[in-house]
Amino acid sequence: QVQLVESGGGLVQAGGSLRLSCAASGRTFSPLHTGWFRQVPGKEREFLAAITWSGGQTAYADSIKGRFRISRDNAKNTVYLQMNSLKPDDTAVYYCAADPRYSRILAGATESSWGQGTQVTVSS
């Protein structure tokens, strides 16, 4: 079973940038596709971006398109989310999820492996 650990969150001013990391470890028997999600207390979890294991396909939510970029380094078993032009509305707990099926990531990753999340706070 794969373990995922997110890092890189913190407090940043509006207009600033952060890069989140999602490091995978443990036993995996197939390539894993990965997605980033976020959740604000009291609201539903929101899909942000996804990337295939090869990096050949990516997908983004309209709400962050053009500001966030997902990438991966398979040699380091790590997926990144570069976040630019941050807004106070981006404040949330950010999670990564991994799954052998890319379609399940795009569908919300409800059956996938999840990390514990990292807090991002954007001040105005």
Side-chain angles (χ1 to χ4, degrees):
Q1 188 168 353
V2 66
Q3 289 83 42
L4 303 174
V5 178
E6 301 93 338
S7 62
L11 175 64
V12 64
Q13 288 188 332
S17 299
L18 283 175
R19 189 179 77 160
L20 305 183
S21 299
C22 171
S25 62
R27 300 181 66 188
T28 61
F29 299 100
S30 58
L32 294 175
H33 312 296
T34 307
W36 282 98
F37 299 76
R38 67 186 178 189
Q39 189 166 25
V40 176
K43 294 188 177 181
E44 291 189 359
R45 187 167 58 204
E46 177 187 11
F47 166 80
L48 298 176
I51 187 168
T52 55
W53 181 83
S54 69
Q57 287 187 58
T58 58
Y60 294 92
D62 288 342
S63 61
I64 55 91
K65 197 174 293 183
R67 296 191 298 124
F68 292 8
R69 181 176 179 274
I70 191 170
S71 62
R72 68 187 306 147
D73 183 343
N74 287 340
K76 296 182 179 180
N77 292 322
T78 301
V79 173
Y80 304 98
L81 185 68
Q82 177 66 44
M83 307 188 296
N84 300 323
S85 303
L86 284 163
K87 307 173 183 178
D89 285 349
D90 294 318
T91 296
V93 179
Y94 285 68
Y95 299 89
C96 64
D99 201 291
R101 295 187 182 180
Y102 189 55
S103 59
R104 292 208 289 223
I105 296 291
L106 298 178
T110 55
E111 299 177 63
S112 309
S113 299
W114 288 85
Q116 83 292 344
T118 185
Q119 176 71 45
V120 171
T121 302
V122 184
S123 63
S124 57

